[in-house]
Amino acid sequence: MTALIRERLKGLFSAASDVHPGLLLQRGFPKGDRMPSLADRKLDDDGAETKTHHIQKVCASRPDPYYNHAFSRWRKATEDASRFHAVELKLRNRMFTGLAGGGMVETGCAISHSYGMPCIPGSSVKGVVSAHARKRLDADGKGNDACDQLFGAGVTREHPAGISGLISFHDAWWVPGSAKRPFVQEVVTTHHIDYYGSDGAKPATDFDSPVPNAQVAVQGSFRFVMEGPSGWLPLAEKMLIAALSERGIGAKTRAGYGLFGAEPERPTTPGCPWVDEKVEELRREHKAPADDIVRGKPLAEAWKALQDADLKDRALADIRSRWEKKGWWESPPGRASRRAKAIYEAQ
């Protein structure tokens, strides 16, 4: 067997505090010279990690500032309502996406190559929405002309060159802060390990013992972006929400995975990743609760020092909304808060 990790990199993988989850799944399994068995649920004799422990490490990953900034850039780049339409939907439970692409660890997840966070490929979103819409329209006897216009169609006698769809579905991005962690460990129980392991050569019986099999699932919300003529985008949004809330996306949808809420998520605050990052940085530096940092002078001074006017406006909107939610803006609690408010109002 070929080892997944080069000898010179094994120490770096084990010592790293922040590793790309996709690399961990595809190249980071420490026992790359053998395929981990479904029955292997304990540490090996030499103390190496098993598949379950390795997946727990993957699921401990959190979004870093690099991803938060990239998400903000993507959101800003798709704000033009004449071209784009975006909607954020929250998973009801959890989702399996890219499950078959796991390689050595026999489990996978669709992960952004550049940023290391879960995503849903736009081609998958388009396929699910198209299939759901066509099935509903066929059942209602209304035909599929609208679907052909929206999603495209193959070569027919009427259209020898096919039809190019009006709507483009971009990859769906995981929304920062929509869950404590984007990845979560799930367990799929294999009941007939000998049957599946031998490709059916050994018969499955009622006496086979179930074996828990660790998998990587996703939780939280995703931001779906559609691009096309503005007159068609509202209809595309309705089709998208209907498909994802009724049909779901990804693997094991019949078991309840991959189903989204029927109502779009409306952010309660004008979230700004810079504020989250700076609050966490100052909280560690001053060893103080997050609320004290939000209403304190150090955050106000950091905000004052920002040079990007657009970022400064978004950060202030976020900070003010947090103050108003706590009732601090009208009645700042304490001298430090009054000084912080004076900084915000002076700009």
Side-chain angles (χ1 to χ4, degrees), residues 75 88 90 175-178 221 223 264-272 276 314 316-326:
R75 182 167 55 187
E88 292 183 9
K90 188 175 184 63
V175 179
S178 60
S221 301
R223 181 177 178 82
E265 289 284 292
R266 305 296 182 190
T268 56
T269 62
C272 176
D276 293 325
R314 287 187 283 115
L316 179 58
D318 189 350
I319 293 170
R320 176 163 181 164
S321 69
R322 299 185 192 207
W323 279 51
E324 290 176 343
K325 188 175 181 180
K326 297 282 188 177

Side-chain angles (χ1 to χ4, degrees), residues 28-347:
F29 193 76
K31 298 293 287 185
D33 56 342
R34 66 174 177 84
M35 178 66 76
S37 168
L38 287 174
D40 183 12
R41 292 299 176 266
K42 61 181 184 302
L43 290 178
D44 295 331
D45 292 338
D46 61 358
E49 291 177 281
T50 62
K51 174 187 172 182
T52 301
H53 286 76
H54 185 67
I55 286 178
Q56 289 173 351
K57 186 175 182 179
V58 173
C59 293
S61 303
R62 296 172 180 268
D64 57 15
Y66 182 55
Y67 178 76
N68 292 338
H69 288 312
F71 182 85
S72 294
R73 289 196 302 271
W74 172 243
R75 182 167 55 187
K76 186 175 180 180
T78 55
E79 287 179 346
D80 184 357
S82 65
R83 287 182 55 200
F84 301 100
H85 193 80
V87 59
E88 292 183 9
L89 299 174
K90 188 175 184 63
L91 282 162
R92 292 188 218 166
N93 189 6
R94 293 167 179 176
M95 176 180 64
F96 286 122
T97 175
L99 196 62
M104 180 61 85
V105 293
E106 297 178 328
T107 183
C109 185
I111 297 175
S112 168
H113 179 80
S114 299
Y115 307 113
M117 287 291 103
C119 66
I120 307 176
S123 57
S124 298
V125 178
K126 179 180 178 179
V128 168
V129 176
S130 175
H132 184 74
R134 291 181 188 278
K135 184 176 180 180
R136 290 285 297 273
L137 289 174
D138 280 346
D140 294 341
K142 296 179 181 178
N144 282 308
D145 290 343
C147 289
D148 289 344
Q149 294 295 324
L150 283 173
F151 310 114
V155 175
T156 63
R157 182 177 300 177
E158 294 80 10
H159 302 283
I163 301 176
S164 178
L166 293 172
I167 303 298
S168 297
F169 291 83
H170 293 275
D171 294 349
W173 289 47
W174 187 80
V175 179
S178 60
K180 187 175 182 180
R181 292 182 178 89
F183 304 103
V184 60
Q185 180 183 333
E186 276 288 315
V187 176
V188 177
T189 303
T190 304
H191 289 271
H192 306 290
I193 185 171
D194 291 333
Y195 172 79
Y196 291 110
S198 64
D199 292 329
K202 294 182 180 180
T205 73
D206 292 337
F207 301 101
D208 294 339
S209 297
V211 178
N213 184 19
Q215 304 286 327
V216 178
V218 177
Q219 59 187 354
S221 301
F222 283 82
R223 181 177 178 82
F224 298 87
V225 175
M226 296 156 285
E227 181 179 2
S230 59
W232 286 92
L233 291 174
L235 175 60
E237 178 191 352
K238 292 180 180 179
M239 290 181 169
L240 171 75
I241 294 175
L244 296 183
S245 62
E246 298 174 21
R247 187 187 189 102
I249 192 169
K252 304 185 184 297
T253 53
R254 290 183 180 274
Y257 290 94
L259 289 171
F260 284 82
E263 294 294 330
E265 289 284 292
R266 305 296 182 190
T268 56
T269 62
C272 176
W274 179 88
V275 178
D276 293 325
E277 296 158 17
K278 185 57 65 174
V279 167
E280 180 61 20
E281 176 187 324
L282 293 172
R283 186 188 66 78
R284 278 185 253 173
E285 178 184 343
H286 295 277
K287 297 181 173 57
D291 279 355
D292 290 352
I293 298 300
V294 170
R295 68 189 182 194
K297 188 178 177 182
L299 179 62
E301 290 175 339
W303 170 84
K304 183 179 179 180
L306 288 174
Q307 299 299 315
D308 186 331
D310 181 64
L311 174 59
K312 199 169 187 178
D313 289 342
R314 287 187 283 115
L316 179 58
D318 189 350
I319 293 170
R320 176 163 181 164
S321 69
R322 299 185 192 207
W323 279 51
E324 290 176 343
K325 188 175 181 180
K326 297 282 188 177
W328 298 338
W329 193 257
E330 297 301 326
S331 302
R335 182 182 300 176
S337 298
R338 290 193 292 272
R339 290 177 177 175
K341 184 181 178 182
I343 293 175
Y344 295 132
E345 291 184 328
Q347 297 298 308

